[in-house]
Amino acid sequence: MKVKVIPVLEDNYMYLVIEERTREAVAVDVAVPKRLLEIVGREGVSLTTVLTTHHHWDHARGNAELARLLPGLVVLGADERICALTRRLAHSEELRFGAIHVRCLLTPGHTLGHMSYFLWEEECPDPPAVFSGDALSVAGCGSRLEGTAQQMYQSLVETLGTLPPETKVFCGHEHTLGNLEFAQKVEPYNDHVKAKLSWAKAAGDGAKLPGAARQGGDWGLCSFQQRDEDDVPTVPATLGEELLYNPFLRVAEESVRKFTGKVAPADVLDVLCRERASFERAAEPLQPQARALLALQWGLLSTPGQK
């Protein structure tokens, strides 16, 4: 199994998962079909299926155009609001693409119909992967737009947080630096946060990073196309790493409880979400006009909604 990380739009990621024996490919969260098809052609694979995490425009807008260009394409997800959906998936449903197994994990919170996808191959030394969309990101999570704090807690901690620690986390956005800056506010004495933040700043500066990342090479499961020459993606992380520095997975830790003033895990998470939103608003946002121009550039003609 090979994963191509494809940066698009302002800070999104699409993914192309390739079964290397059959050369069958599965795409995750298609926002820009033209860009995806360039990678499909370059890799010489057959794209048969799209897995969509949730219905928001920057994760699903490209489905209809891609389905038009590839008759017979299967588009899967858990929410009827997803563009060009051909079949609705259920929690714990399992799919198979050659040697690749997929377990569908309903992870409500960002949206009620948010589905994450856990992929693995039997008798393979490579670690499994989870495509978490906006449910879980590196050092953070997506904003809670639908559902309750208890549902979000169950999605993050009880569903995603219990996957094998070696699981590679492929999320929907490049929000790592801001997430880690917030994590440092929550836990200022967490050495894991400090180390990861230093690493993320080096990535943003285009510094030489460990391994083959700077050259766009092999990250175990991951090889990627860079957003530009000096902008290095910070995905994937491992779940084991996330448990050390992601405050949204650490709601039972005394330091995180102290920051929120709450004890019950769902209450801790609820406060974290509100504090993260305030923290984000304090940073200078991309102006609406810039978002509109970006959408037009990539052929996304609908008005951007919330991520």
Side-chain angles (χ1 to χ4, degrees), residues 105-109 116 135-136 140-141 149-164 239 242-243 246-253 256-257 264-270 272-273:
L105 302 173
L106 191 63
T107 46
S116 299
L136 174 67
C141 67
Q150 180 63 31
Q151 286 176 309
M152 194 169 195
Y153 166 75
Q154 292 170 336
S155 296
L156 285 169
V157 178
E158 297 181 358
T159 299
L160 296 175
T162 57
L163 294 174
L239 182 61
E242 289 296 305
L243 292 168
N246 189 328
F248 297 91
L249 293 176
R250 295 171 54 79
V251 292
E253 298 294 325
V256 180
R257 289 179 172 181
D267 293 339
V268 174
L269 184 62
D270 190 38
L272 284 176
C273 288

Side-chain angles (χ1 to χ4, degrees), residues 81-107:
R81 294 173 291 182
I82 291 171
C83 248
L85 187 71
T86 58
R87 185 167 72 82
R88 190 173 178 181
L89 297 170
H91 178 62
S92 294
E93 183 173 346
E94 295 201 358
L95 311 171
R96 186 80 177 264
F97 302 97
I100 300 173
H101 296 259
V102 181
R103 181 174 300 135
C104 304
L105 302 173
L106 191 63
T107 46

